[in-house]
CSV table of all heavy atoms in Angstrom, one decimal:
chain,number,residue,atom,x,y,z
A,634,ASP,N,-247.2,31.7,181.4
A,634,ASP,CA,-247.5,30.5,180.6
A,634,ASP,C,-248.6,30.8,179.5
A,634,ASP,O,-249.2,29.9,179.0
A,634,ASP,CB,-248.0,29.3,181.5
A,634,ASP,CG,-246.9,28.8,182.3
A,634,ASP,OD1,-245.7,28.9,181.9
A,634,ASP,OD2,-247.1,28.2,183.4
A,635,GLY,N,-248.8,32.0,179.2
A,635,GLY,CA,-249.8,32.4,178.2
A,635,GLY,C,-251.2,32.6,178.7
A,635,GLY,O,-251.4,32.6,180.0
A,636,ALA,N,-252.1,32.6,177.8
A,636,ALA,CA,-253.5,32.8,178.2
A,636,ALA,C,-254.1,31.5,178.8
A,636,ALA,O,-253.8,30.4,178.3
A,636,ALA,CB,-254.3,33.3,177.0
A,637,PHE,N,-255.0,31.7,179.8
A,637,PHE,CA,-255.7,30.6,180.3
A,637,PHE,C,-257.0,31.1,180.9
A,637,PHE,O,-257.2,32.2,181.2
A,637,PHE,CB,-254.9,29.9,181.4
A,637,PHE,CG,-254.7,30.7,182.7
A,637,PHE,CD1,-255.5,30.5,183.8
A,637,PHE,CD2,-253.7,31.6,182.8
A,637,PHE,CE1,-255.3,31.2,185.0
A,637,PHE,CE2,-253.5,32.3,183.9
A,637,PHE,CZ,-254.3,32.1,185.0
A,638,ARG,N,-257.9,30.1,181.0
A,638,ARG,CA,-259.2,30.4,181.7
A,638,ARG,C,-259.7,29.1,182.3
A,638,ARG,O,-259.3,28.0,181.9
A,638,ARG,CB,-260.2,31.0,180.7
A,638,ARG,CG,-260.7,30.0,179.6
A,638,ARG,CD,-261.6,30.7,178.7
A,638,ARG,NE,-262.0,29.8,177.6
A,638,ARG,CZ,-262.8,30.1,176.5
A,638,ARG,NH1,-263.1,31.4,176.4
A,638,ARG,NH2,-263.1,29.3,175.6
A,639,PHE,N,-260.7,29.2,183.2
A,639,PHE,CA,-261.2,28.0,183.8
A,639,PHE,C,-262.5,27.7,183.1
A,639,PHE,O,-263.4,28.5,182.9
A,639,PHE,CB,-261.5,28.3,185.3
A,639,PHE,CG,-260.2,28.4,186.1
A,639,PHE,CD1,-259.8,29.7,186.5
A,639,PHE,CD2,-259.4,27.4,186.4
A,639,PHE,CE1,-258.7,29.9,187.3
A,639,PHE,CE2,-258.2,27.5,187.1
A,639,PHE,CZ,-257.9,28.8,187.5
A,640,ASP,N,-262.7,26.4,182.8
A,640,ASP,CA,-264.0,25.9,182.3
A,640,ASP,C,-265.0,25.7,183.4
A,640,ASP,O,-264.7,26.0,184.6
A,640,ASP,CB,-263.8,24.7,181.4
A,640,ASP,CG,-263.3,23.5,182.2
A,640,ASP,OD1,-263.5,23.5,183.5
A,640,ASP,OD2,-262.8,22.5,181.6
A,641,ARG,N,-266.2,25.3,183.0
A,641,ARG,CA,-267.3,25.2,184.0
A,641,ARG,C,-267.0,24.2,185.1
A,641,ARG,O,-267.6,24.1,186.1
A,641,ARG,CB,-268.6,24.9,183.3
A,641,ARG,CG,-268.6,23.7,182.5
A,641,ARG,CD,-269.9,23.6,181.7
A,641,ARG,NE,-270.0,22.4,180.8
A,641,ARG,CZ,-270.4,21.2,181.2
A,641,ARG,NH1,-270.9,21.1,182.5
A,641,ARG,NH2,-270.4,20.2,180.4
A,642,ASN,N,-266.0,23.3,184.8
A,642,ASN,CA,-265.6,22.2,185.8
A,642,ASN,C,-264.5,22.7,186.7
A,642,ASN,O,-264.1,22.0,187.6
A,642,ASN,CB,-265.2,21.0,185.1
A,642,ASN,CG,-266.4,20.3,184.2
A,642,ASN,OD1,-267.5,20.3,184.7
A,642,ASN,ND2,-266.1,19.9,183.0
A,643,GLY,N,-264.0,23.9,186.4
A,643,GLY,CA,-262.9,24.4,187.3
A,643,GLY,C,-261.5,24.0,186.8
A,643,GLY,O,-260.5,24.1,187.6
A,644,VAL,N,-261.4,23.5,185.6
A,644,VAL,CA,-260.1,23.1,185.0
A,644,VAL,C,-259.5,24.2,184.1
A,644,VAL,O,-260.3,24.7,183.3
A,644,VAL,CB,-260.2,21.8,184.2
A,644,VAL,CG1,-258.9,21.4,183.6
A,644,VAL,CG2,-260.7,20.7,185.2
A,645,ALA,N,-258.3,24.5,184.2
A,645,ALA,CA,-257.7,25.6,183.4
A,645,ALA,C,-257.5,25.1,182.0
A,645,ALA,O,-256.9,24.1,181.7
A,645,ALA,CB,-256.3,26.0,184.0
A,646,GLN,N,-258.1,25.9,181.1
A,646,GLN,CA,-257.9,25.7,179.6
A,646,GLN,C,-256.8,26.6,179.2
A,646,GLN,O,-256.8,27.8,179.6
A,646,GLN,CB,-259.2,26.1,178.9
A,646,GLN,CG,-260.4,25.2,179.2
A,646,GLN,CD,-261.6,25.7,178.4
A,646,GLN,OE1,-261.8,26.9,178.2
A,646,GLN,NE2,-262.4,24.8,177.9
A,647,ARG,N,-255.8,26.1,178.4
A,647,ARG,CA,-254.6,26.8,178.1
A,647,ARG,C,-254.4,27.0,176.6
A,647,ARG,O,-254.8,26.1,175.8
A,647,ARG,CB,-253.4,26.2,178.7
A,647,ARG,CG,-253.4,26.2,180.3
A,647,ARG,CD,-252.2,25.7,180.9
A,647,ARG,NE,-252.2,25.8,182.3
A,647,ARG,CZ,-251.8,26.9,183.0
A,647,ARG,NH1,-251.5,28.0,182.3
A,647,ARG,NH2,-251.9,27.0,184.3
A,648,MET,N,-253.9,28.1,176.2
A,648,MET,CA,-253.4,28.3,174.8
A,648,MET,C,-252.0,27.7,174.7
A,648,MET,O,-251.1,28.2,175.3
A,648,MET,CB,-253.4,29.7,174.5
A,648,MET,CG,-254.8,30.3,174.4
A,648,MET,SD,-255.8,29.5,173.1
A,648,MET,CE,-257.2,30.5,173.0
A,649,LEU,N,-251.9,26.6,173.9
A,649,LEU,CA,-250.6,25.9,173.8
A,649,LEU,C,-249.9,26.1,172.5
A,649,LEU,O,-250.6,26.4,171.5
A,649,LEU,CB,-250.8,24.4,174.0
A,649,LEU,CG,-251.5,24.0,175.3
A,649,LEU,CD1,-251.7,22.5,175.4
A,649,LEU,CD2,-250.8,24.5,176.6
A,650,GLU,N,-248.6,26.1,172.5
A,650,GLU,CA,-247.8,26.1,171.3
A,650,GLU,C,-247.3,24.7,171.0
A,650,GLU,O,-247.2,23.8,171.9
A,650,GLU,CB,-246.7,27.1,171.4
A,650,GLU,CG,-245.6,26.7,172.4
A,650,GLU,CD,-244.4,27.7,172.5
A,650,GLU,OE1,-244.7,28.9,172.0
A,650,GLU,OE2,-243.4,27.4,173.0
A,651,VAL,N,-246.8,24.5,169.8
A,651,VAL,CA,-246.2,23.2,169.4
A,651,VAL,C,-244.7,23.5,169.2
A,651,VAL,O,-244.3,24.4,168.6
A,651,VAL,CB,-246.8,22.6,168.1
A,651,VAL,CG1,-246.1,21.3,167.8
A,651,VAL,CG2,-248.3,22.4,168.3
A,652,GLN,N,-243.9,22.7,169.9
A,652,GLN,CA,-242.4,22.8,169.8
A,652,GLN,C,-241.8,21.6,169.2
A,652,GLN,O,-242.3,20.5,169.2
A,652,GLN,CB,-241.8,23.0,171.2
A,652,GLN,CG,-242.4,24.2,172.0
A,652,GLN,CD,-241.8,24.3,173.4
A,652,GLN,OE1,-240.7,23.8,173.6
A,652,GLN,NE2,-242.5,25.0,174.2
A,653,GLU,N,-240.7,21.8,168.5
A,653,GLU,CA,-239.9,20.7,168.0
A,653,GLU,C,-238.5,20.7,168.6
A,653,GLU,O,-237.9,21.7,168.8
A,653,GLU,CB,-239.8,20.9,166.4
A,653,GLU,CG,-238.9,19.8,165.8
A,653,GLU,CD,-238.8,20.0,164.3
A,653,GLU,OE1,-239.8,20.5,163.6
A,653,GLU,OE2,-237.7,19.7,163.7
A,654,ILE,N,-238.1,19.5,168.9
A,654,ILE,CA,-236.7,19.3,169.4
A,654,ILE,C,-235.8,19.3,168.2
A,654,ILE,O,-235.9,18.4,167.3
A,654,ILE,CB,-236.6,18.0,170.2
A,654,ILE,CG1,-237.5,18.1,171.4
A,654,ILE,CG2,-235.1,17.8,170.7
A,654,ILE,CD1,-237.6,16.8,172.3
A,655,ARG,N,-234.9,20.2,168.2
A,655,ARG,CA,-234.0,20.4,167.0
A,655,ARG,C,-232.6,20.8,167.4
A,655,ARG,O,-232.4,21.9,168.0
A,655,ARG,CB,-234.6,21.5,166.1
A,655,ARG,CG,-234.0,21.6,164.7
A,655,ARG,CD,-234.6,22.8,164.0
A,655,ARG,NE,-236.1,22.6,163.7
A,655,ARG,CZ,-236.8,23.6,163.3
A,655,ARG,NH1,-236.3,24.8,163.1
A,655,ARG,NH2,-238.1,23.4,163.1
A,656,GLY,N,-231.7,19.9,167.1
A,656,GLY,CA,-230.3,20.2,167.4
A,656,GLY,C,-230.0,20.5,168.9
A,656,GLY,O,-229.2,21.4,169.2
A,657,GLY,N,-230.7,19.8,169.8
A,657,GLY,CA,-230.4,20.0,171.2
A,657,GLY,C,-231.2,21.1,171.8
A,657,GLY,O,-231.1,21.4,173.0
A,658,GLN,N,-232.1,21.8,171.0
A,658,GLN,CA,-232.9,22.9,171.6
A,658,GLN,C,-234.4,22.6,171.2
A,658,GLN,O,-234.7,21.8,170.3
A,658,GLN,CB,-232.4,24.2,171.0
A,658,GLN,CG,-231.0,24.6,171.4
A,658,GLN,CD,-230.6,25.9,170.8
A,658,GLN,OE1,-231.2,26.4,169.8
A,658,GLN,NE2,-229.7,26.6,171.5
Side-chain angles (χ1 to χ4, degrees):
D634 290 335
F637 69 97
R638 67 182 178 187
F639 294 105
D640 63 19
R641 58 188 179 88
N642 297 316
V644 178
Q646 297 178 322
R647 296 185 176 277
M648 291 298 189
L649 304 180
E650 68 180 19
V651 179
Q652 299 179 24
E653 179 179 324
I654 299 174
R655 187 184 299 170
Q658 297 181 334

